[in-house]
């Protein structure tokens, strides 16, 4: 069924949204993204689960604390505050790309009670020297040229050539809901993140990896961890907008709670 895309702006009135009833899943977005990027995935999953979708600081209505510099651990603490506010003691954490780094930090550093990790088009590795240098250039570009121009130049790289134009335009609008400082802080948080490969290898909780076979942004996670399961679907890095039905099916197949 063809997805009917609409403006994502209606979701930016609050730092997070809550939908549905049942075992809770918290959705954490990636770079060039926001809570509303999951719109066409959570609609279905909310039929059986409580879905919390959080905008990280500097996105939408989620403000950056004055003078604060964020790490992925700080983002995890912000999300845990939301869960505590909603009276949710434990949850499945699903992180897309950078959101996966945040979810891994939450579990590894015991910032939250994580029942299960679902890593959606994400990675367990830290930035190498080349990636750190690239992000440094991107920070300067965003500061000098602004969010809109940066997004316009980047968003197409996150999709395969045959992706629906409506999906690209939807994610373009989502990405442009960030502030300059919000984007710069996300890049800095990714630069400083830890390698979590040993955590995945030795994890006691279920870890589910969803990979896109057309994802040109991140390489597959390499692990033989006994509690890791993996599924590959034919999408690019923004599969939740490109082919949401495939992402929904993959998440449902992976859920253990």
């Amino acid at each position: 069924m063809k997805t009917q895309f609409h403006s994502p702006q209606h979701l930016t009135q609050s730092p997070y949204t809550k939908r549905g009833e049942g075992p809770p899943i918290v959705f954490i977005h990636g770079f060039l993204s926001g809570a509303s990027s999951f719109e066409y995935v959570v609609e279905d999953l909310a039929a059986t689960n409580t879905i919390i979708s959080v905008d990280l600081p500097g996105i939408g209505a989620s403000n950056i604390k004055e003078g604060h510099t964020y790490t992925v651990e700080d983002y995890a603490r912000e999300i845990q505050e939301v869960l505590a506010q909603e009276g949710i003691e434990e949850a499945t954490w699903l992180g897309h790309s950078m959101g996966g780094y945040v979810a891994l930090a939450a579990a590894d550093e015991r910032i939250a009670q994580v029942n299960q990790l679902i890593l959606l088009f994400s990675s367990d590795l830290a930035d190498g020297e080349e990636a750190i240098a690239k992000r440094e250039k991107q920070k300067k570009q965003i500061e000098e040229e602004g969010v809109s121009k940066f997004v316009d130049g980047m968003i197409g790289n996150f999709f395969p050539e045959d992706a629906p134009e409506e999906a690209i335009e939807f994610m373009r609008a989502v990405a442009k809901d960030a502030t300059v400082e919000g984007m710069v802080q996300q890049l800095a948080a990714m630069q400083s993140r830890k390698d979590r490969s040993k955590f995945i290898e030795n994890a006691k909780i279920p870890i589910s990896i969803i990979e896109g076979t057309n994802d040109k942004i991140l390489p597959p996670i390499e692990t033989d961890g006994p509690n890791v399961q993996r599924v590959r679907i034919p999408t690019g890095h923004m599969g939740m907008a490109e082919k949401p039905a495939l992402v929904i099916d993959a998440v449902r197949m992976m859920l253990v709670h």
Side-chain angles (χ1 to χ4, degrees):
M1 184 174 67
K2 183 177 175 60
T3 303
Q4 299 298 317
F5 290 95
H6 51 69
S7 170
Q9 300 305 314
H10 69 291
L11 291 179
T12 64
Q13 298 172 3
S14 171
Y16 70 94
T17 61
K18 179 183 178 183
R19 306 185 197 183
E21 294 183 2
I25 308 173
V26 57
F27 279 71
I28 310 109
H29 66 81
F31 185 61
L32 289 188
S33 192
S36 53
S37 64
F38 299 113
E39 173 70 0
Y40 302 101
V41 173
V42 301
E43 279 186 290
D44 187 281
L45 293 171
T48 54
N49 294 80
T50 299
I51 306 295
I52 304 288
S53 303
V54 182
D55 274 324
L56 297 178
I59 306 292
S62 185
N63 297 320
I64 291 174
K65 295 175 182 176
E66 186 175 353
H68 192 79
T69 300
Y70 290 89
T71 63
V72 291
E73 290 81 8
D74 290 324
Y75 289 144
R77 293 184 188 98
E78 293 275 328
I79 294 167
Q80 175 55 24
E81 287 181 13
V82 169
L83 296 180
Q85 181 179 324
E86 290 292 335
I88 297 174
E89 296 182 358
E90 54 186 20
T92 293
W93 284 50
L94 185 153
H96 168 247
S97 194
M98 181 190 71
Y101 313 154
V102 176
L104 281 165
D108 190 15
E109 305 294 336
R110 300 185 179 181
I111 293 168
Q113 181 62 46
V114 181
N115 285 336
Q116 177 184 4
L117 281 175
I118 301 178
L119 304 176
L120 179 63
F121 317 131
S122 192
S123 175
D124 56 346
L125 303 178
D127 266 1
E129 291 183 8
E130 184 178 343
I132 289 173
K134 181 179 179 180
R135 295 197 203 279
E136 205 60 38
K137 291 179 180 178
Q138 290 175 333
K139 286 192 284 187
K140 292 179 181 179
Q141 182 181 352
I142 293 165
E143 289 171 338
E144 292 173 0
E145 300 178 357
V147 167
S148 184
K149 187 172 182 179
F150 180 78
V151 170
D152 285 340
M154 284 288 293
I155 198 67
N157 299 331
F158 288 66
F159 290 86
E161 292 182 1
D162 62 349
E165 189 62 32
E166 296 91 341
I168 299 173
E169 291 308 309
F170 175 77
M171 286 305 304
R172 188 191 308 275
V174 172
K176 288 185 178 182
D177 207 23
T179 64
V180 167
E181 187 179 4
M183 275 195 170
V184 169
Q185 290 244 20
Q186 287 181 33
L187 287 166
M190 288 189 286
Q191 285 177 310
S192 66
R193 75 184 189 276
K194 297 178 182 178
D195 183 306
R196 307 284 181 183
S197 55
K198 288 185 178 180
F199 170 76
I200 287 183
E201 202 71 24
N202 301 311
K204 303 301 182 184
I205 62 171
I207 297 180
S208 301
I209 299 170
I210 302 175
E211 296 173 354
T213 56
N214 298 318
D215 187 350
K216 299 177 182 177
I217 301 299
L218 289 174
I221 294 173
E222 296 183 7
T223 180
D224 294 318
N227 288 316
V228 176
Q229 57 179 341
R230 184 193 309 265
V231 65
R232 296 179 174 89
I233 56 177
T235 74
H237 196 65
M238 297 291 192
M240 64 282 188
E242 180 195 344
K243 295 180 180 178
L246 294 184
V247 173
I248 291 167
D249 288 345
V251 171
R252 285 204 179 282
M253 182 174 66
M254 295 288 194
L255 282 174
V256 296
H257 294 283

